[in-house]
Amino acid sequence: MFDSVRLSAMAIVFAMAVSCVNHNVMSDRQPVCVLTDSEKEAARLTPEVMWKIARVGAGGLAFSPDGKRILHTLTTYDVEANRGTTSVRSVDLEGRTRRISPEGSDCSQACWLPDGRVIFLADGPGGGELWIADGDGSHPRQVPNAEGGIEGFGVDRQGGNIFIVRKVAVERRLSGEIFPDLPLSRARVYDDLMVRHWNYWDTGNYSHIFVGRLTDHGIEDLRDIMPEEPWDAPMAPYFDTGEIAWSHSGALLAYTCKKLTGAEYAVSTDSDIYLYDLTTGLTRNLTLGMPGYDRYPRFSPDDGRIVFTSMARPGNESDKARLMTLDLGGEQTSGDRPAGRMVDLTAGFDHSVSDPHWADDGRIYFLAGIEGTVQLFRADLEAGSLCAESDAAASALPAGQVIHPMTWGDFDQVGYAVHGDQVVVARQSISSPTELYRLSFGGATPGDISGVASPLTTCYNRDLYDHIRMGQVERRWVATTDHKQMLTWVVFPPDFDPSKRYPLLLYCQGGPQSTVSQFWSYRWNLQLMAARGYIVVAPNRRGAPSFGQEWVDQISGDYSGQNIRDLLAAIDDVAREPWADRERMGCVGASYGGYSDSCLASPIKPHVLTITTSAPSPSRSNTTW
């Protein structure tokens, strides 16, 4: 798809090895990746080197009100202290960085205020606390009347209203609470699901949204907009505050919630988007009757519409995430249909979208996986199709191109920020951790994405890029047993010599519906494996998104079938190369990847495979194989 723009798009290159330009001078004492002389001489990626990498946060990127600086977080680790610390930073469009949060603070979220100050969430004795600092990091002070225990927050554009997320005790779960005559009992009492999700118990405490006014005296008139409701907003298990959004006027708050309980909650994907009116105190369900996940609302510049992501099929967690717009002026006319006119902007786009943003100029930006990468796209509202759920009798909107790619290449865009015609992305690849890049486009016409990506934050990890050699990454298309083409990443060791023979390591992805993209991982790092002398084979077998929904859906109910044959097809294809040692082949994976390893250990066909998996963990509901 988009073949016509590939050549021009390739001009947007990922300059992983490019060091910071001379004027990219850090303006404070920043913890950066500093390698020892022996690590520089070895020039190999090791676990010790990885722990030294400064990790640029991809979430919550934001331009300052004047468009001159970008807010982001930076996480560093101290191995000896066994502790990681996240700080709030800003960088200008020339790559000059500045620390905002005080030394020693550990932060998790930040945003600009209209006057150029920064408000951020930092850990305190009682949990999360809100702090405000000037734009240069001076005069940090805690927000008054904002007790601890804050898990997230968001400020409206005017800077006058704020929401915070905090746990609220709604139901009793401990036996000592239920039976007063057993005060020392610590048993948990359940008569329905959920009992436990991943690594935490249902304690009867739920994340609730509180709204109030942000003044010079702190937060005033704070109130719970979900009193006594036994569900989480934002939703478990991620508790992503991106599921909550202020209107531009600050009079409305949209949020995502799955207002179900028990077993129905456990098996359902029916989350909805709710609209809370600060003036009336009333809440209405905007997506009533839509049975799949509806998430991530964002308001149009005039507050007359929202854009959000939506899945159509109930119970399918890996259904296509569509990009929808909804008019907010409509009245609820039926008990099983959303109010207002709804448009599916991605009816002809066979990929899931994420992270939508409605820019001030009326354009909608979003991220989407395509061919084993994640790219930035733009949606135009002049074209699209009416969603049948909102008006089955309505005719289609005028035909035309709806979706325009803004980037293209072998990398993942994992976050972005837009200010006027300026775009900054958080980008990573198999060969580089996340860094911020400023995009400059060659033209203003749709589809013209030629341009350059200028690095802004690579100075944090200059030693990594100057001294550590990464292996070549090859994009390889492999024929499957049912005559389809499968994208497989092949990662070679540094200093690869084609006259030698190398052991092969087959990487089996978990999920099962997750992409083997251009991801950089601190758990499953393909370059780290290759640095040990392996040639790593990483196929996007059946079930992997970014190749169309049919490719994703095929794995359902066929867990030991075609996707396992896809894995074998990939390793067979690479094993035919003269530099491949067929007597030394192995595979590695966890979760569904561990299940795949177990399938490969069975006598499907003769292979020389050494299975590498983790042992099952009874303490985790999401078992690692």
Side-chain angles (χ1 to χ4, degrees):
M1 196 171 186
F2 306 116
D3 288 337
S4 62
V5 298
R6 282 179 189 263
L7 293 179
S8 63
M10 291 307 294
I12 302 181
V13 294
F14 183 30
M16 180 278 296
V18 175
S19 298
C20 297
V21 288
N22 292 334
H23 57 255
N24 191 354
V25 179
M26 292 174 293
S27 58
D28 60 357
R29 296 186 311 155
Q30 303 193 40
V32 294
C33 175
V34 179
L35 304 184
T36 65
D37 290 341
S38 61
E39 288 169 336
K40 293 177 182 179
E41 183 178 357
R44 293 298 177 98
L45 185 65
T46 64
E48 291 76 14
V49 169
M50 287 185 64
W51 279 113
K52 294 182 177 181
I53 295 174
R55 308 182 187 187
V56 177
L61 301 180
F63 275 93
S64 58
D66 61 7
K68 294 181 178 179
R69 302 191 70 84
I70 299 95
L71 203 62
H72 67 282
T73 59
L74 187 75
T75 301
T76 57
Y77 285 87
D78 184 332
V79 174
E80 292 186 1
N82 193 28
R83 182 173 183 263
T85 302
T86 299
S87 58
V88 177
R89 311 273 170 151
S90 72
V91 60
D92 67 17
L93 297 180
E94 300 300 321
R96 290 181 286 263
T97 62
R98 177 184 294 161
R99 183 180 182 120
I100 303 296
S101 57
E103 291 281 352
S105 60
D106 191 17
C107 308
S108 58
Q109 188 183 350
C111 71
W112 297 98
L113 294 174
D115 59 7
R117 293 181 298 165
V118 177
I119 182 169
F120 56 92
L121 188 62
D123 282 350
E129 301 173 344
L130 284 176
W131 287 68
I132 290 179
D134 291 350
D136 60 0
S138 62
H139 306 107
R141 58 274 191 197
Q142 187 177 353
V143 176
N145 304 327
E147 297 81 4
I150 299 173
E151 298 180 339
F153 75 98
V155 180
D156 73 358
R157 280 209 167 188
Q158 316 306 318
N161 292 322
I162 186 172
F163 76 77
I164 65 171
V165 177
R166 172 179 284 156
K167 290 290 187 187
V168 175
V170 178
E171 297 180 327
R172 295 181 298 175
R173 292 283 185 258
L174 293 179
S175 54
E177 299 171 339
I178 299 172
F179 304 103
D181 57 333
L182 299 174
L184 301 181
S185 176
R186 290 295 179 266
R188 294 183 176 93
V189 180
Y190 300 93
D191 56 13
D192 204 344
L193 296 176
M194 297 282 288
V195 173
R196 183 176 173 84
H197 198 148
W198 287 358
N199 61 348
Y200 66 91
W201 295 95
D202 175 4
T203 62
N205 297 333
Y206 296 91
S207 293
H208 278 197
I209 302 170
F210 293 74
V211 298
R213 294 186 299 113
L214 183 62
T215 72
D216 292 338
H217 303 291
I219 300 178
E220 300 180 351
D221 302 326
L222 194 65
R223 61 188 183 274
D224 185 351
I225 69 172
M226 313 164 54
E228 303 302 321
E229 294 185 7
W231 32 68
D232 293 298
M235 293 192 300
Y238 301 108
F239 304 103
D240 183 359
T241 53
E243 295 179 345
I244 310 170
W246 282 109
S247 65
H248 290 70
S249 68
L252 302 171
L253 186 76
Y255 67 94
T256 307
C257 190
K258 187 165 65 171
K259 298 193 175 186
L260 302 170
T261 58
E264 185 181 15
Y265 170 90
V267 302
S268 175
T269 60
D270 187 11
S271 67
D272 286 304
I273 293 173
Y274 294 84
L275 189 67
Y276 178 79
D277 188 318
L278 270 69
T279 302
T280 65
L282 299 178
T283 300
R284 65 168 173 153
N285 186 344
L286 296 179
T287 56
L288 185 66
M290 300 176 67
Y293 279 129
D294 303 313
R295 306 175 71 188
Y296 301 113
R298 298 291 183 270
F299 286 86
S300 62
D302 64 358
D303 287 341
R305 290 176 289 178
I306 61 167
V307 64
F308 61 100
T309 66
S310 176
M311 294 183 180
R313 292 180 289 178
N316 189 336
E317 292 185 309
S318 298
D319 196 13
K320 172 189 167 183
R322 305 167 294 170
L323 186 69
M324 316 291 289
T325 62
L326 174 66
D327 292 346
L328 297 180
E331 295 294 332
Q332 196 84 40
T333 59
S334 171
D336 60 355
R337 298 180 64 187
R341 179 174 177 268
M342 186 176 298
V343 178
D344 180 359
L345 294 176
T346 50
F349 184 71
D350 196 23
H351 303 279
S352 287
V353 307
S354 64
D355 197 11
H357 170 77
W358 207 320
D360 289 343
D361 62 5
R363 296 173 173 177
I364 297 175
Y365 293 81
F366 64 91
L367 300 177
I370 186 164
E371 291 188 359
T373 67
V374 180
Q375 304 298 334
L376 177 65
F377 290 82
R378 191 186 76 228
D380 286 345
L381 302 184
E382 289 76 17
S385 64
L386 289 175
C387 178
E389 294 166 78
S390 66
D391 192 348
S395 59
L397 291 173
Q401 188 176 7
V402 185
I403 306 301
H404 307 294
M406 304 301 292
T407 61
W408 199 277
D410 286 349
F411 41 70
D412 284 1
Q413 316 286 17
V414 292
Y416 68 97
V418 178
H419 183 90
D421 60 355
Q422 300 182 107
V423 179
V424 167
V425 296
R427 176 181 295 181
Q428 62 181 223
S429 77
I430 290 173
S431 302
S432 174
T434 301
E435 301 284 3
L436 301 188
Y437 286 78
R438 175 166 59 96
L439 300 185
S440 300
F441 300 102
T445 58
D448 185 355
I449 57 176
S450 58
V452 295
S454 304
L456 297 179
T457 57
T458 47
C459 270
Y460 291 132
N461 294 306
R462 181 185 284 121
D463 267 10
L464 177 75
Y465 301 125
D466 287 351
H467 299 287
I468 301 300
R469 293 193 299 274
M470 301 290 179
Q472 175 189 346
V473 179
E474 175 187 279
R475 169 185 282 261
R476 190 181 187 106
W477 290 94
V478 173
T480 64
T481 57
D482 57 346
H483 311 294
K484 299 183 183 298
Q485 292 292 309
M486 174 178 60
L487 176 65
T488 299
W489 302 112
V490 181
V491 186
F492 294 85
D495 305 320
F496 168 74
D497 184 347
S499 66
K500 297 181 180 179
R501 291 167 68 86
Y502 293 85
L504 304 183
L505 188 60
L506 176 64
Y507 172 74
C508 301
Q509 178 71 324
Q513 292 101 341
S514 57
T515 313
V516 186
S517 65
Q518 279 282 320
F519 70 99
W520 175 272
S521 171
Y522 291 94
R523 181 185 179 193
W524 295 96
N525 191 289
L526 305 187
Q527 285 285 2
L528 184 64
M529 300 175 193
R532 300 300 299 266
Y534 293 100
I535 292 176
V536 182
V537 181
N540 276 281
R541 46 97 183 120
R542 234 54 64 98
S546 79
F547 302 92
Q549 194 60 35
E550 179 184 352
W551 191 269
V552 178
D553 289 344
Q554 192 284 329
I555 197 172
S556 297
D558 188 34
Y559 299 113
S560 60
Q562 184 60 51
N563 71 101
I564 302 300
R565 291 189 287 273
D566 289 345
L567 295 173
L568 292 170
I571 195 69
D572 278 347
D573 184 79
V574 177
R576 284 190 280 268
E577 298 289 353
W579 33 258
D581 187 346
R582 289 185 60 86
E583 299 302 314
R584 292 187 296 162
M585 298 198 298
C587 59
V588 62
S591 190
Y592 186 80
Y595 170 84
S596 301
D597 290 347
S598 300
C599 290
L600 292 168
S602 65
I604 298 175
K605 62 182 296 188
H607 275 73
V608 182
L609 290 169
T610 302
I611 309 302
T612 307
T613 59
S614 302
S617 172
S619 64
R620 295 180 59 192
S621 57
N622 182 22
T623 303
T624 298
W625 294 74

